[in-house]
Amino acid sequence: MGCWVAGMEASKGKLLFMSTDQPVEAIIHPHILECAPEESLREVARRMSDRRCSSILVVEDGQPVGIWTERDALRLDYASGDTGRRAVGEVMTAPVKTIPGSTPANEVAVHFQEDQVRHYLVVDAAGRPQGVVSQTDVVLNQSIEHYLHLREVGSVMRQHPPRVANDASLSEAVTTLREYGADAVVVGEDADPGILTERDLVRALASESTTATAGELASRPLLAAPVEQSLFHVRNLMVEEAVRHVGVTDDSGRITGLVGFTDILSSVEFVYVRELKSALRERDQALQTSRKNLRMAERIIEASPDGVIITDSETRIQSVNPAFTRLTGYQPEEAIGQTPAMLSSGRHGPEFYREMWRELRERGHWQGEIWNRRKNGEIYPELLTITGIEDDEGVVTNYAAMFSDISRIKENEERIRRLAYYDALTGLPNRRLFDDRLQVAIAQAHRYEHQLALLYVDLDRFKRVNDTLGHAVGDALLLQVADAMRAELREGDSLARLGGDEFVVLLPEIDESRDAVNVARRLVERLGHPFNVDGNELFVTSSVGISLYPLDGDDGEALSRAADNAMYRAKELGRNTYQLYTPEMNAHTFQSLTLENHLRRALEREQFECYYQPLVDAASGELVSAEALLRWHHPDMGLVSPADFIPLAEETGLIGPIGDWVLHHVCQQLRWWQEAGLPVVPVGVNISALQFGRDNPVEPLEAALADSGIDPGLLALELTEGVLMQDTQRSVERLRRIRDMGLGVAVDDFGTGYSSLAYLRRFPITALKVDQSFVKGIAEDPEDAAIVSTVVSLGRSLGLKVVAEGVETPGQLAFLQEEGCHVAQGFHFGYPQPAEAFAADWLVD
């Protein structure tokens, strides 16, 4: 309320510091010292002295009309004998400056400087007075201890302060104060100095001592402090002694300056206001930037092709964007106030939504594919992302959902799946789908301990039909053959076309080998009947080979190999017959065992070597990277084909240490090339399921990189779809760790596995490698060309680099260039070479 103590003397040396973000009404005293305009200055001064206040509010008819402060005492004429009898209304400051009580305390100091006043009347929202706030009140409620410790008293003192003699009149002393613009004057000589302040003037008015001399009115002794003393010490001295001024002495003890509480406050105010203005300026800039960003975000949401829904914490829709209406058919007024359940398709059960909300609560967001329903009843798939929006206390206040229609992408997925898993001519499963079914059937047979049979069917001399009557007639004949074979099979049996005139039959459950023989006999007999194709009566015969599980093998590869051998044996016996597999047909079993024994010693005997095959920019032909391919040089067997020893290494578990060796060797080779000053390109290394499935698959990578010291960006990992899909959640986490290390990640043999948009969007991968089996036939087979075109389009739309493997001809390259494929790899550009030869051909200018 503008009292002299200002929180200082009330605590006897202790200051009360408050937060600067509180309203000014929190730092004022609730009682206001008031007077009427007609009251005399003597009475007003007496009341101010008694209450030790620096100001008094002049009120008339219940309304403040002015204010009189100790500073106003300097404007009086003390030479006149009746000064104290004058009415305060004649000399008050009017009108009274007011400030709302809700004003932040940290902004009031700025207003003091702008308005050049030392007191404000604080009013409430209705304009009613709440109290008086002074500069002292505001500054003393800031945390200034650190600042006071750092400043010396000499930095703020008034040098050569005004002086008057002891016998000077009060009028002369006041004139000196006015001339110097000071609030205190030194009285007398250095031997016994005193001090006369604005407060002393008020006290003189109150005691009718205006005719006394300066020496009689001065306060003694004048406390002093050395010029190098800290402001903190001096401030505490003032508080403890209940004074407002301290003299400043030089080394000889002579008073050379004067520092008052106002000087300290002015210094603090200057620094504080300067910093406050800077903070307010930064705040305003931040608000302006925030508003700009908010407007930008609103425009982006409005223009977004994705639908956006904002709900409250109870999932009631609060707003939608124009894309929402375009995608769902609902107008904003139809959706606002509803819940997203209005879009439910009914395809997802309660468990789906429970799992979605569980993940949303635990992670704060959820992303996935969901089926919803448009206003017209159409059900469509969408990719949906939901994010919880929290307040400062971490409580979810809103949910934001973004969704896009992925119908076309789903159609492409189905197209890829159909092209990849079904024969385009007959509609039968192809080799890939059949292999999946065979694996499932073997697992079931193992679990329930029953037999199954595999029948390889080859049409005898079918090539003569194509050569004589043309491929169109040949295709029509294949369709009739497929239908005839279906008619001879049970409902649970599977028929697939492997390619050309080769078919395979899976009998998933038989009691004995005679059951398989009976099916084979029926097939041979049925296919021996004539077929009528476009008026041509055609006769074809068939050779059938039979293998049995578990007698002839316990996995799909062994059973297929046995059935194939048996089918060729049937051809050797004159065709148009069937043949059961016998052990004599598979004499290479012993060779396989021998190869395994040699493989176990190949690593320790340093028989492995890495070859490097170039990957080039499909458009320019420039080298962009390379793939490391493992080769085995055996002293007796020579160069062993990877097709022979890689599956064996995976089967025996040797692929783990061999794969680690490849990682270290490739990293060392990259370092050697760098040390030779060659322009090194990234190298891809194939990672097996065993390596990726370890408890810590990143550890070997870190070790290889640390030993070589190369940039992680020079190393890329290639994994097949099957490896990634064994445990998708774990795969995502591990791939993120690998990507965080800076390595690239490519999906190898893409198109032969799941080929799903869902995992492509979920896995943090950088490239797709189109399997060479598709690239091989793009010039002749429209089915393969369609698959490659679709995969390239899908990869580009997802921002992934697309690599075509197995490019061997200019025609294949031209097709890939036209489709926009990024990178090509194959014999057309270069064969795999040892490191030295590769460097000489590709890295040396």
Side-chain angles (χ1 to χ4, degrees):
M1 58 178 289
C3 291
W4 287 330
V5 287
M8 179 173 67
E9 296 164 351
S11 301
K12 194 56 180 175
K14 297 181 181 179
L15 292 178
L16 177 63
F17 298 106
M18 301 184 185
S19 173
T20 59
D21 59 357
Q22 62 185 325
V24 68
E25 61 189 3
I27 65 173
I28 60 174
H29 196 281
H31 301 294
I32 304 175
L33 187 61
E34 299 179 356
C35 69
E38 61 272 12
E39 286 191 47
S40 68
L41 284 176
R42 180 175 296 109
E43 178 59 24
V44 167
R46 183 188 62 77
R47 293 173 60 189
M48 288 173 60
S49 294
D50 291 344
R51 294 285 294 276
R52 304 186 66 81
C53 286
S54 62
S55 65
I56 189 168
L57 191 65
V58 183
V59 178
E60 185 175 27
D61 297 330
Q63 296 296 322
V65 294
I67 191 171
W68 194 76
T69 69
E70 61 183 15
R71 187 67 177 174
D72 293 323
L74 286 176
R75 301 208 307 262
L76 300 178
D77 179 12
Y78 292 94
S80 171
D82 61 350
T83 300
R85 291 192 294 272
R86 295 184 63 184
V88 69
E90 299 176 9
V91 294
M92 68 182 180
T93 299
V96 183
K97 293 283 187 177
T98 62
I99 193 167
S102 60
T103 305
N106 56 11
E107 294 183 12
V108 177
V110 178
H111 294 297
F112 275 134
Q113 284 208 342
E114 292 175 347
D115 292 341
Q116 292 296 304
V117 297
R118 294 169 63 177
H119 296 79
Y120 279 116
L121 175 62
V122 181
V123 296
D124 61 15
R128 294 185 296 267
Q130 292 180 285
V132 175
V133 64
S134 67
Q135 289 177 309
T136 303
D137 296 328
V138 173
V139 176
L140 281 183
N141 282 287
Q142 319 305 317
S143 297
I144 60 175
E145 307 290 57
H146 180 69
Y147 169 79
L148 295 177
H149 272 293
L150 296 177
R151 299 294 298 274
E152 294 181 351
V153 68
S155 65
V156 300
M157 74 175 187
R158 284 170 285 172
Q159 294 183 346
H160 310 297
R163 287 176 177 264
V164 296
N166 283 320
D167 58 357
S169 67
L170 182 58
S171 179
E172 291 172 337
V174 171
T175 300
T176 302
L177 286 171
R178 291 174 187 158
E179 291 174 353
Y180 278 84
D183 60 352
V185 61
V186 176
V187 180
E189 302 301 326
D190 288 340
D192 183 26
I195 188 167
L196 187 68
T197 67
E198 294 173 349
R199 183 170 59 180
D200 295 323
L201 299 182
V202 174
R203 192 171 62 245
L205 279 173
S207 60
E208 300 186 53
S209 304
T210 56
T211 58
T213 64
E216 293 170 337
L217 295 174
S219 299
R220 284 188 171 86
L222 173 59
L223 297 179
V227 68
E228 68 274 7
Q229 189 67 264
S230 72
L231 280 179
F232 179 77
H233 177 82
V234 172
R235 193 280 311 271
N236 286 349
L237 178 63
M238 293 179 179
V239 173
E240 291 170 359
E241 299 297 332
V243 298
R244 302 186 69 184
H245 295 81
V246 170
V248 182
T249 60
D250 57 16
D251 294 339
S252 64
R254 186 171 60 87
I255 292 180
T256 58
L258 189 66
V259 61
F261 200 66
T262 301
D263 300 316
I264 297 176
L265 298 183
S266 297
S267 173
V268 173
E269 285 178 354
F270 173 76
V271 174
Y272 168 71
V273 171
R274 181 183 60 190
E275 294 180 355
L276 179 59
K277 285 185 175 180
S278 175
L280 291 175
R281 184 166 56 252
E282 292 177 0
R283 183 199 65 179
D284 292 341
Q285 291 174 349
L287 287 174
Q288 184 177 1
T289 301
S290 177
R291 294 191 188 100
K292 179 180 178 182
N293 292 339
L294 182 58
R295 288 194 298 270
M296 185 183 302
E298 289 174 347
R299 293 193 183 100
I300 291 174
I301 291 175
E302 289 294 311
S304 172
D306 294 339
V308 177
I309 302 173
I310 306 296
T311 77
D312 60 17
S313 60
E314 302 298 324
T315 71
R316 288 184 293 270
I317 298 175
Q318 294 181 325
S319 64
V320 296
N321 71 339
F324 169 88
T325 298
R326 177 174 55 81
L327 293 171
T328 68
Y330 288 99
Q331 295 297 323
E333 58 271 17
E334 296 176 289
I336 293 174
Q338 303 290 326
T339 69
M342 64 184 291
L343 305 174
S344 176
S345 65
R347 285 197 176 188
H348 305 287
E351 182 60 31
F352 173 86
Y353 293 105
R354 279 196 297 269
E355 179 63 20
M356 180 183 77
W357 278 103
R358 182 194 63 78
E359 184 172 338
L360 186 57
R361 285 191 296 268
E362 291 180 357
R363 301 187 179 183
H365 67 276
W366 180 88
Q367 184 181 60
E369 295 179 11
I370 190 171
W371 289 86
N372 271 341
R373 187 186 302 273
R374 307 187 208 274
K375 184 179 179 180
N376 61 10
E378 177 188 355
I379 295 176
Y380 69 101
E382 62 183 39
L383 183 66
L384 173 64
T385 300
I386 306 175
T387 301
I389 302 173
E390 300 178 347
D391 59 17
D392 294 339
E393 285 72 37
V395 177
V396 174
T397 58
N398 299 89
Y399 292 101
M402 294 186 63
F403 64 93
S404 57
D405 186 343
I406 56 172
S407 300
R408 187 175 298 275
I409 295 177
K410 279 292 185 182
E411 292 169 1
N412 287 336
E413 278 187 15
E414 178 59 26
R415 184 184 176 201
I416 292 175
R417 193 188 70 83
R418 191 73 190 173
L419 292 172
Y421 286 101
Y422 289 88
D423 175 52
L425 175 63
T426 64
L428 294 174
N430 61 13
R431 184 187 298 274
R432 299 183 189 95
L433 180 56
F434 184 81
D435 286 344
D436 288 345
R437 291 184 177 180
L438 178 58
Q439 296 303 322
V440 173
I442 291 174
Q444 292 288 329
H446 175 75
R447 180 177 181 182
Y448 296 107
E449 298 182 351
H450 59 67
Q451 298 184 72
L452 66 79
L454 206 60
L455 281 63
Y456 265 45
V457 183
D458 185 85
L459 302 184
D460 300 326
R461 301 184 179 91
F462 178 77
K463 184 175 183 298
R464 287 191 293 182
V465 176
N466 283 335
D467 293 342
T468 304
L469 302 176
H471 286 279
V473 174
D475 289 347
L477 176 59
L478 289 174
L479 284 171
Q480 292 191 26
V481 168
D483 290 340
M485 293 177 68
R486 282 196 194 98
E488 298 298 330
L489 299 177
R490 299 173 301 178
E491 183 178 352
D493 298 336
S494 292
L495 172 65
R497 183 189 177 203
L498 301 183
D501 59 348
E502 294 183 357
F503 296 83
V504 61
V505 176
L506 171 63
L507 307 178
E509 185 174 352
I510 60 173
D511 294 327
E512 53 184 348
S513 60
R514 184 182 305 171
D515 296 335
V517 170
N518 290 337
V519 174
R521 182 185 297 113
R522 290 201 306 270
L523 290 175
V524 170
E525 292 177 355
R526 177 64 184 86
L527 297 181
H529 296 166
F531 292 91
N532 191 296
V533 181
D534 294 339
N536 298 301
E537 188 175 54
L538 303 177
F539 289 86
V540 292
T541 60
S542 61
S543 299
V544 181
I546 308 170
S547 65
L548 303 173
Y549 171 89
L551 180 64
D552 301 325
D554 58 3
D555 59 46
E557 185 177 355
L559 291 173
S560 296
R561 187 166 54 245
D564 193 43
N565 288 339
M567 183 266 293
Y568 278 105
R569 179 60 177 165
K571 284 186 177 293
E572 293 173 0
L573 295 177
R575 297 183 174 88
N576 196 29
T577 187
Y578 58 88
Q579 188 69 34
L580 281 164
Y581 172 76
T582 60
E584 291 76 12
M585 298 176 185
N586 198 17
H588 68 277
T589 303
F590 176 76
Q591 298 175 354
S592 176
L593 180 60
T594 302
L595 188 66
E596 178 183 341
N597 292 334
H598 287 293
L599 183 62
R600 292 185 180 278
R601 295 178 174 268
L603 192 60
E604 62 183 68
R605 294 177 177 177
E606 299 182 352
Q607 295 173 354
F608 288 120
E609 181 181 5
C610 282
Y611 278 34
Y612 298 86
Q613 186 174 28
L615 278 72
V616 304
D617 185 287
S620 66
E622 296 182 357
L623 179 71
V624 295
S625 60
E627 180 179 358
L629 300 167
L630 184 63
R631 295 295 183 263
W632 179 14
H633 295 279
H634 190 274
D636 298 324
M637 294 183 292
L639 187 63
V640 183
S641 171
D644 292 331
F645 74 83
I646 292 295
L648 186 59
E650 292 177 340
E651 179 182 346
T652 59
L654 294 173
I655 195 66
I658 293 175
D660 293 344
W661 179 89
V662 172
L663 280 173
H664 281 268
H665 187 80
V666 168
C667 290
Q668 293 296 332
Q669 184 63 64
L670 286 167
R671 189 189 72 179
W672 294 332
W673 281 337
Q674 284 183 327
E675 292 176 348
L678 298 179
V680 181
V681 296
V683 175
V685 176
N686 292 282
I687 299 297
S688 69
L690 179 62
Q691 290 174 277
F692 192 68
R694 290 169 170 167
D695 290 338
N696 186 5
V698 176
E699 185 175 353
L701 293 172
E702 294 174 334
L705 292 170
D707 290 346
S708 63
I710 65 168
D711 182 350
L714 290 176
L715 191 64
L717 305 185
E718 298 186 9
L719 303 96
T720 64
E721 297 174 87
V723 171
L724 296 178
M725 295 302 292
Q726 290 178 2
D727 185 338
T728 56
Q729 181 58 39
R730 186 181 66 172
S731 295
V732 169
E733 295 171 356
R734 293 184 171 186
L735 288 179
R736 283 176 180 160
R737 291 177 60 192
I738 293 171
R739 292 288 295 121
D740 290 343
M741 292 171 61
L743 279 68
V745 178
V747 177
D748 201 8
D749 301 336
F750 183 75
T752 63
Y754 297 84
S755 306
S756 169
L757 168 70
Y759 85 74
L760 285 183
R761 296 183 67 98
R762 189 176 181 189
F763 290 152
I765 59 178
T766 56
L768 296 179
K769 298 193 74 172
V770 185
D771 187 67
Q772 59 183 345
S773 63
F774 300 123
V775 176
K776 182 178 180 180
I778 55 178
E780 300 84 13
D781 191 336
E783 179 182 344
D784 287 342
I787 292 177
V788 173
S789 175
T790 304
V791 172
V792 171
S793 176
L794 180 61
R796 292 180 66 91
S797 67
L798 295 175
L800 301 175
K801 182 180 292 185
V802 182
V803 182
E805 298 180 298
V807 180
E808 298 182 357
T809 67
Q812 293 168 347
L813 178 60
F815 178 86
L816 295 169
Q817 290 172 335
E818 183 177 349
E819 294 298 322
C821 184
H822 301 103
V823 179
Q825 174 185 4
F827 296 159
H828 180 71
F829 308 102
Y831 289 84
Q833 299 173 283
E836 185 176 349
F838 176 82
D841 289 348
W842 292 95
L843 303 182
V844 178
D845 294 336

